[in-house]
Amino acid sequence: MTVENALAMAKSLLRDRLSAAKTVVDATAGNGHDTLFLAANTPEDAVVWAFDRQQEALAATARRLAAGGLAGKCRLTLACHSAIAAYLAVPVDAAMFNLGYLPGGDHGFTTRAATTVAALGALTGLLAPGGLITVVAYPGHAAGSEENEAVAAFLAALPQADFTVAAWRMLNQKNMPPILYIIGKTGREAK
Ligand SMILES: C[S@@+](CC[C@H](N)C(=O)[O-])C[C@H]1O[C@@H](n2cnc3c(N)ncnc32)[C@H](O)[C@@H]1O
């Protein structure tokens, strides 16, 4: 195993769980790299939900999925991820959050503490036993720092009997490197 950046680390940790997943979520579709990763690493009959507040982001995601021949299993949803429970009522096997703003896009559309924590509340409620959520947070900009603190406080308070929560970050990288949070729901995954 090699030491990778936070996002690559998140993907390495998720891969195994994805191989038998039925329902997975990309909470921040952006340019679609992570949605494509989820679609490519789940069974053919899995459903990948991808949320973003920007039409521009979903259009980029749709193009990427179409080029990869994986659009059919994805449900691209123009909505705040805090509203996820209005769209999904089934157990979620895995979910990814890649926080912040669309690279090259409007920085005003960055994820925010209150809605990110609300989305994490909804998704932890939907998470299947054995399910995993990864969150990559960017404390290097002002809104990101406040958001990271709110995310860490929310996750630290999750009940130990139901969730295992870990944090990972590079220790020798300059400029406030991203932090990866990993949330696992205790219990056995359904066969
Ligand atoms: C860092 S980008 C995600 C990168 C993306 N996963 C990829 O693979 O390219 C963060 C995205 O979160 C979206 N976003 C911001 N606030 C949101 C919210 N409340 N609900 C859903 N998406 C949101 C932004 O529009 C932006 O596209």
Side-chain angles (χ1 to χ4, degrees), residues 85-164:
Y87 297 86
L88 265 178
V90 293
V92 169
D93 300 299
M96 294 182 80
F97 287 76
N98 187 358
L99 301 178
Y101 42 77
L102 195 60
D106 180 352
H107 291 196
F109 272 101
T110 191
T111 53
R112 301 272 171 192
T115 39
T116 299
V117 167
L120 281 169
L123 266 166
T124 48
L126 289 169
L127 201 58
L132 271 186
I133 301 173
T134 61
V135 182
V136 176
Y138 298 85
H141 64 109
S145 171
E146 185 194 330
E147 180 180 41
N148 177 55
E149 281 176 27
V151 166
F154 172 79
L155 296 180
L158 284 174
Q160 195 178 336
D162 299 324
F163 297 96
T164 47

Side-chain angles (χ1 to χ4, degrees), residues 26-34 51-54 57 79-81 98-103 109-111 115:
D26 183 352
T28 52
N31 284 318
H33 299 279
D34 302 329
F51 291 83
D52 206 290
R53 282 174 60 220
Q54 293 190 81
C80 176
H81 40 219
N98 187 358
L99 301 178
Y101 42 77
L102 195 60
F109 272 101
T110 191
T111 53
T115 39

